[in-house]
């Protein structure tokens, strides 16, 4: 199906665009009252993500309500460990929690390499429904977590300020760590290929906990696996967003992907210099800027756009939109991007 609005795909590929495309990480979520209404109709986040018709509905809401240039499938990065045999729970106000973790060879033997189409059929079905209901209006983004970030949760068992158990495993058991990371990588490739087969037009890899590793460990235990995924996915454009990995920007410029996402702590001019001219940069307004007045949001957005001017760019925030931000300020951000020339 020919897309009515293909700005995102053209911008990712470095092709000419009439204006900069814009979307937001976590746009299908808690900022929208319409999303909260759908979520309240089920037991919680996981049931919503595992109900394809509802996941498709909340995926499309930001396209209708905010006017973004892309939809991103409503799901979670932690569906991969669950598909591998390590289920998780989403605890209200605390986040993800794994009743069991991976800490030994015995634990590793209980896991399997996930088959994306079958083990994660509910996500694939949600993509198919979303594509049909979007009817070519905008592209659909598929996504997965980077292997290191998934590994961190599988070892630690929950979110953490330090992920000290996961980081300790890299030092104490590097061979074991590489085996688990490879299983996650193989599962992720299968999953992303199934998403693309179902209709995803672009995929994004989220390395949410990139910034807690040092440069050498990041290269060995994260970047090499992200690189494998990028090399394996040739069907659609790829975006890599590694929060906090400011030290890896030059290496990211060498990845086999089209777009590098920047967090709000990464200087735009410096990032362009380190990454080079042949990648599209995505980002990177501080989400907290959207707490300002309409005029303040407009000024901050125009400043960001001015710094990206003249180079390949997809407008976004430097992280996911926070749940208590006023949707009207999100609309100001989006419209300011659309008006910028």
């Amino acid at each position: 199906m020919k897309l009515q609005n293909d700005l995102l795909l053209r911008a990712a590929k470095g092709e000419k665009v009439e204006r900069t495309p814009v979307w937001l990480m976590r746009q299908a979520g808690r900022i929208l009252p319409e999303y909260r209404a759908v979520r309240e109709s089920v037991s919680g986040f996981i049931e919503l993500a595992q109900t394809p018709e509802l996941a498709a509905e909340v995926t499309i809401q930001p396209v209708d309500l905010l006017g973004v240039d892309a939809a991103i499938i409503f799901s979670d990065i932690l569906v991969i460990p669950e598909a591998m045999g390590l289920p998780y729970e989403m605890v209200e106000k605390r986040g993800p929690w794994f009743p069991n973790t991976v800490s030994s060879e015995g634990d590793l033997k209980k896991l399997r390499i996930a088959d994306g189409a079958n083990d994660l059929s509910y996500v694939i079905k949600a993509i198919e429904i979303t594509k049909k209901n979007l009817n070519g209006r905008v592209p659909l983004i598929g996504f997965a977590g980077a292997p290191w970030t998934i590994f961190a949760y599988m070892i630690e068992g929950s979110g953490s300020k330090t992920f000290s158990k996961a980081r300790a495993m890299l030092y104490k058991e590097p061979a074991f760590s590489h085996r688990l990371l490879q299983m996650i990588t193989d599962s992720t490739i299968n999953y992303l290929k199934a998403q693309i087969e179902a209709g995803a037009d672009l995929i994004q890899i989220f390395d949410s906990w990139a910034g807690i590793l040092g440069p050498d460990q990041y290269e060995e235990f994260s970047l090499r696996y992200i690189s494998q995924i990028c090399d394996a996915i040739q069907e659609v454009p790829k975006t890599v967003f590694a929060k906090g990995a400011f030290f890896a920007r030059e290496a990211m410029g060498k990845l086999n992907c089209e777009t590098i996402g920047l967090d709000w702590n990464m200087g735009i001019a410096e990032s362009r210099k380190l990454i080079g001219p042949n990648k599209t940069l995505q980002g990177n307004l501080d989400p907290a800027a959207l707490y300002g007045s309409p005029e303040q949001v407009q000024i901050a957005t125009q400043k960001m756009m001015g710094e990206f001017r003249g180079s390949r760019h997809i407008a976004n925030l430097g992280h996911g939109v926070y749940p208590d931000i006023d949707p009207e300020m999100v609309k100001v951000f989006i419209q300011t991007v659309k008006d910028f020339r």
Side-chain angles (χ1 to χ4, degrees):
M1 182 185 297
K2 183 172 170 58
L3 289 167
Q4 298 161 38
N5 174 351
D6 65 349
L7 284 169
L8 180 81
L9 300 184
R10 281 190 281 145
K13 296 172 185 174
E15 297 172 0
K16 184 175 174 57
V17 290
E18 304 79 57
R19 63 167 176 83
T20 303
V22 56
W23 68 281
L24 294 88
M25 291 178 278
R26 292 186 184 155
Q27 65 187 18
R30 292 171 290 176
I31 60 161
L32 296 174
E34 293 83 355
Y35 164 83
R36 292 195 292 271
V38 176
R39 178 162 169 171
E40 285 166 12
S41 72
V42 293
S43 61
F45 174 88
I46 290 178
E47 185 182 352
L48 176 53
Q50 291 182 352
T51 307
E53 294 79 10
L54 297 182
E57 181 181 346
V58 297
T59 296
I60 295 171
Q61 283 176 348
V63 179
D64 295 333
L65 301 169
L66 302 175
V68 286
D69 292 310
I72 180 166
I73 193 65
F74 181 81
S75 186
D76 190 81
I77 62 172
L78 297 179
V79 299
I80 279 287
E82 183 151 71
M84 292 174 66
L86 197 74
Y88 74 107
E89 300 171 8
M90 194 63 78
V91 181
E92 196 66 36
K93 297 184 179 176
R94 277 188 56 197
W97 180 69
F98 287 84
N100 300 299
T101 57
V102 180
S103 60
S104 68
E105 290 289 344
D107 296 331
L108 203 61
K109 287 174 182 172
K110 294 176 187 174
L111 300 176
R112 63 181 178 274
I113 293 171
D115 170 323
N118 295 312
D119 293 326
L120 288 158
S121 59
Y122 59 89
V123 181
I124 305 311
K125 182 67 174 173
I127 290 173
E128 291 170 350
I129 295 169
T130 302
K131 282 292 286 188
K132 181 182 177 184
N133 293 346
L134 278 173
N135 197 29
R137 284 192 288 158
V138 295
L140 177 61
I141 302 167
F143 72 91
W148 154 249
T149 287
I150 302 303
F151 173 100
Y153 280 109
M154 292 174 80
I155 301 293
E156 203 79 24
S158 66
S160 167
K161 290 182 179 177
T162 62
F163 280 97
S164 55
K165 289 180 187 173
R167 286 161 53 215
M169 188 67 81
L170 304 182
Y171 286 100
K172 288 162 40 180
E173 300 286 351
F176 174 92
S177 298
H178 279 303
R179 286 201 299 279
L180 177 53
L181 284 161
Q182 190 62 57
M183 289 181 72
I184 297 167
T185 300
D186 293 343
S187 299
T188 302
I189 291 168
N190 291 342
Y191 178 43
L192 289 173
K193 284 187 174 288
Q195 290 188 39
I196 294 162
E197 182 71 23
D201 299 292
L202 179 147
I203 61 104
Q204 178 156 316
I205 301 165
F206 286 89
D207 206 356
S208 306
W209 298 112
I212 63 172
L213 293 180
D216 290 346
Q217 282 196 311
Y218 190 70
E219 185 172 347
E220 179 178 355
F221 293 103
S222 185
L223 210 54
R224 69 188 275 184
Y225 295 103
I226 291 174
S227 183
Q228 276 190 46
I229 296 169
C230 288
D231 288 345
I233 303 291
Q234 297 296 321
E235 301 91 334
V236 299
K238 297 148 291 200
T239 298
V240 175
F241 174 69
K243 187 175 183 296
F246 61 91
F247 48 79
R249 284 174 290 176
E250 189 171 358
M252 285 181 189
K254 298 179 176 67
L255 287 171
N256 182 11
C257 68
E258 287 72 20
T259 301
I260 301 294
L262 306 181
D263 69 40
W264 73 92
N265 291 310
M266 296 176 180
I268 294 166
E270 180 189 46
S271 296
R272 176 54 76 192
K273 185 177 179 182
L274 288 168
I275 294 168
N278 298 320
K279 293 272 191 275
T280 299
L281 300 184
Q282 178 174 277
N284 71 333
L285 188 71
D286 182 349
L290 299 188
Y291 288 118
S293 67
E295 184 182 17
Q296 289 168 329
V297 172
Q298 190 175 46
I299 289 168
T301 304
Q302 288 172 338
K303 181 178 184 296
M304 176 197 75
M305 295 298 291
E307 291 184 51
F308 278 110
R309 190 198 298 271
S311 68
R312 295 168 57 171
H313 181 216
I314 295 167
N316 206 311
L317 304 180
H319 197 234
V321 62
Y322 300 143
D324 60 343
I325 284 174
D326 183 350
E328 293 305 313
M329 294 306 101
V330 174
K331 291 177 185 176
V332 171
F333 166 71
I334 291 166
Q335 193 58 50
T336 303
V337 171
K338 289 183 173 182
D339 291 342
F340 189 85
R341 295 292 184 269

